[in-house]
Structures are given as C-alpha cells and as structure tokens.
Amino acid sequence: MKNKTDVLPQEGEAHPSKCPDNSAFKQQRLPAWKPQLDIVTVLSSFFLVGTFCLTMGVILILSANSVREIQIDYSDKCSDCSKLRENSSNWNKECHCSVNFTLKEDILGDVFMYYGLQNFYQNHRRYMISRSDAQLLGRNVNIQRSYCAPFTTYSNGTPMAPCGAIANSIFNDTIDLFYNRNSSVIQVPLLKTGNSWWTDKNVKFRNPESYNLSSAFAGTARPPYWQKPVYLLDEEDERNNGYINDDLIIWMRVSAFSTFRNLYRRVRRVRHFADGLPAGNYTFRISYNFPVAMFKGRKHVILSTVVWSGGSNPFLGIAYVVSGTAAILAGFVITAIHLKLRKKKTYFQRQ
C-alpha cells in the first residue's frame, strides 16, 4: 500500500502544465477572414435590405388583394336550426336551411370552399393535447393512458374512436352549393378528397389493418357528439373513411387563433364550371349540425381563389413592409449619427 508521500511531487519537481499545446489550432492562430465593416458597407446593407423587403411586401399585398373571395355568414340566417341545436336532446333531428347569394362577376380558375368559425378557441392547452396520435396511426393502444380524458371510454368501458376533445368537436355541417341557371337548378360538383396535406394523409394518419373497416373498428364506438361511426364518415367513397377521412384530418390540425377557416371542398371543373364559377344566382343548402350559439360564435362559408403566394391573407406582405420600413429608418438614423459625429471630429481637428 502506497503512502501519501508517494503521490506528492518531490521538492524541485515541476507541476504538469494545464495550458493547451503551443499549436496554431489550439492557440487560435489559424488564418481567418474577419470583415471590416465601414460606414458605407453598413448603410448599404440597411438600405438594400429595406428596399428588398418593401418591394416584396408591396408585391405580396397586391397579390393577396387580387384573390377573388366571397364570404357568407349563415349564423343568423339559420337561426331556427341554431335554436334546435341548443338542446342536446335534439341531436338526432335533422335541420336544413338555405342561403341565397349572387356572384356579380365570374370567379375564374380553381375555386375553394372553406368553412370559417369565429370565437372558437382551439388553442386552449387541454384541448390541444386531447388526442391520441398512436390511435390515429391505427395502433391498438390503451387510450385511458392518453390525454383524451374525459372522451376516452363510455360508462360500459367501450373505447371511443377517435378519442379526445378535438375529434369529438369536429365540424359536421354539410354544405352543398347549387347554381340557379335560368329556370333550372344545377348542383355544383365538389371534391371531398385531396384537400389535406400529403404528410397527414400518408404519414400521420392510418386505419387499423383489417379486411374491412367495420371489423377494424369493432369493439369501439363513435364520440358522443358524432352522428356516424368513424368508418362511415364518407358513405360514397370507402377510401375516404376512418382516420384517413379528409374532413377529420383537416379538423385535427388545430388553429392558433379563435377565428379561423378550414378547407372544406374544391369545385370540380367540369361542364358549366370548367372555367370556375360563372356569374349568377347561387344557393347554399346547409344541414345544420354544429351549434355555436352557446359560446357566442359565428359560422361562415367562404368561396375563394388562390394565387402564387397563397390565399387572401396580407399578413406576410404587411410583415415585409414593416420590416423594410424599419430597416430604411434605421439606415437614416445611422446616417444622421455618423454625419453628426464626423462634424464634431472635424471641428476638434481644426482646434
């Protein structure tokens, strides 16, 4: 066994150095490029960035203003159905209403139909986490361990599919569009599929594996506020059922604001609507199922086109304009400070 004196340095013995080696790398003597910013470079950068942002902002705002859009609020026009839906015991009673409007000019190109909600807070923390991503991937999981409560199982133990507050509150109004052409009424063909993101449809949502959907969801039940089970969401297209239903996928992507719109349908460009929506009289026929009076909300239907920069949203253009204006103003302020300091320096040099 060694004594303590065996590990201590002897008198006159040098301690090991902790300094890095005297090399170019460890002593940071490698050649490097360091920009020398003078006043011309700085001011040029501010003015060039400001000019670019202002130009882009004006272009984006003009592009957003070129979008053709019509918005119809049907909250009050369907007041009878709204009163019926205030009583939860009437959930199985159908209620329909109609809203007429006129297009004064043709809406050419691809036309998109959105539904809009106002004063609906999807950004509540407990609401946003009330889902089971594993269940939506088609996995057999214990949803009682998820954040879906209280929308997990019924009192008899039957699990809900899909579980959670987000799925339970899905927007379930049915909206059809009709074109009143002379004395005839033509239903505008609308596309239900192809409206969700590719990553959502093919990566984030999957149906349980089985030879048919009804057996895949055997032993589960629809959420309390739903009228149909998840495997019958689209009775016309079997490929648009279950967890890969476009309406469900779009609804599950929650909004950050209390007023928002979600894509509902796209106008199919055939026959009378090959070029878009012609001018004339139209009617929205709505099967009213989604109540909003209890939280003082509003409901809208929006018909809109899109441009290269997106839909009718000038936010990005305004952000560019504000940033460009701030950069140019900062450039003028720096210029004024520089001229003032240079004048003082010249004065003292003369003294």
Side-chain angles (χ1 to χ4, degrees):
M1 186 173 180
K2 294 183 179 180
N3 296 325
K4 293 183 179 179
T5 55
D6 296 336
V7 296
L8 295 174
Q10 301 297 325
E11 186 177 353
E13 183 179 342
H15 291 273
S17 175
K18 295 182 180 179
C19 295
D21 296 336
N22 188 20
S23 62
F25 176 75
K26 292 188 176 181
Q27 295 297 334
Q28 299 183 11
R29 294 195 303 265
L30 292 176
W33 177 77
K34 294 191 296 183
Q36 299 295 330
L37 299 178
D38 56 4
I39 189 62
V40 176
T41 305
V42 173
L43 291 179
S44 300
S45 301
F46 272 95
F47 286 118
L48 286 175
V49 171
T51 302
F52 172 78
C53 290
L54 277 178
T55 304
M56 284 299 300
V58 171
I59 293 174
L60 289 171
I61 290 175
L62 292 176
S63 176
N65 291 336
S66 66
V67 173
R68 292 291 312 280
E69 180 175 299
I70 180 171
Q71 180 170 306
I72 308 293
D73 187 327
Y74 66 94
S75 305
D76 297 330
K77 297 179 180 179
C78 298
S79 57
D80 293 339
C81 292
S82 178
K83 293 178 181 178
L84 180 70
R85 289 288 174 255
E86 289 179 7
N87 188 350
S88 59
S89 61
N90 297 324
W91 67 271
N92 58 344
K93 296 181 180 179
E94 294 187 359
C95 189
H96 302 271
C97 58
S98 299
V99 180
N100 300 319
F101 66 98
T102 301
L103 286 181
K104 297 181 180 179
E105 297 179 358
D106 297 345
I107 300 182
L108 302 177
D110 294 327
V111 182
F112 299 83
M113 180 189 293
Y114 301 83
Y115 61 84
L117 291 177
Q118 183 177 342
N119 206 37
F120 189 92
Y121 289 86
Q122 284 190 313
N123 55 2
H124 191 282
R125 184 185 65 85
R126 292 193 63 185
Y127 180 88
M128 292 177 63
I129 65 175
S130 184
R131 59 188 291 165
S132 173
D133 290 321
Q135 183 195 43
L136 295 172
L137 281 170
R139 299 173 184 170
N140 186 14
V141 294
N142 184 2
I143 59 174
Q144 290 185 342
R145 297 181 181 178
S146 66
Y147 294 102
C148 288
F151 302 102
T152 52
T153 60
Y154 286 93
S155 57
N156 60 359
T158 304
M160 300 179 189
C163 70
I166 304 177
N168 183 58
S169 61
I170 188 173
F171 182 85
N172 55 354
D173 283 1
T174 302
I175 306 171
D176 294 315
L177 180 61
F178 293 88
Y179 175 44
N180 305 315
R181 186 172 182 266
N182 299 327
S183 58
S184 60
V185 178
I186 304 172
Q187 184 172 4
V188 180
L190 302 174
L191 296 172
K192 299 180 181 180
T193 58
N195 300 324
S196 60
W197 292 11
W198 185 92
T199 52
D200 288 347
K201 189 84 171 181
N202 297 276
V203 178
K204 296 181 65 176
F205 293 83
R206 284 280 191 275
N207 282 327
E209 294 183 1
S210 182
Y211 61 92
N212 61 40
L213 279 182
S214 60
S215 62
F217 289 97
T220 64
R222 59 176 175 79
Y225 293 170
W226 284 29
Q227 297 174 329
K228 301 177 182 178
V230 66
Y231 54 88
L232 291 178
L233 288 178
D234 189 351
E235 299 180 8
E236 298 177 358
D237 188 354
E238 295 182 355
R239 298 170 298 176
N240 191 36
N241 268 317
Y243 296 146
I244 59 173
N245 176 266
D246 273 42
D247 292 337
L248 174 63
I249 292 174
I250 292 173
W251 178 260
M252 294 300 291
R253 184 175 289 276
V254 296
S255 172
F257 302 99
S258 61
T259 299
F260 61 92
R261 64 176 65 179
N262 283 336
L263 182 59
Y264 182 66
R265 298 289 184 266
R266 291 176 295 129
V267 174
R268 187 180 179 187
R269 298 176 63 176
V270 294
R271 300 178 60 191
H272 304 289
F273 313 101
D275 298 324
L277 291 179
N281 298 320
Y282 290 84
T283 301
F284 281 125
R285 293 184 185 175
I286 302 164
S287 176
Y288 198 105
N289 299 304
F290 193 87
V292 295
M294 62 184 68
F295 56 86
K296 298 180 181 179
R298 311 288 298 181
K299 293 195 291 187
H300 307 84
V301 185
I302 303 104
L303 294 174
S304 177
T305 59
V306 295
V307 291
W308 63 271
S309 60
S312 178
N313 189 353
F315 175 79
L316 185 60
I318 294 173
Y320 267 103
V321 169
V322 172
S323 301
T325 304
I328 291 177
L329 288 178
F332 281 118
V333 171
I334 295 173
T335 303
I337 294 174
H338 171 69
L339 293 176
K340 185 177 181 180
L341 293 177
R342 189 175 65 174
K343 187 180 296 184
K344 285 185 177 181
K345 184 178 180 181
T346 304
Y347 172 76
F348 285 116
Q349 287 176 350
R350 291 177 179 177
Q351 294 295 325

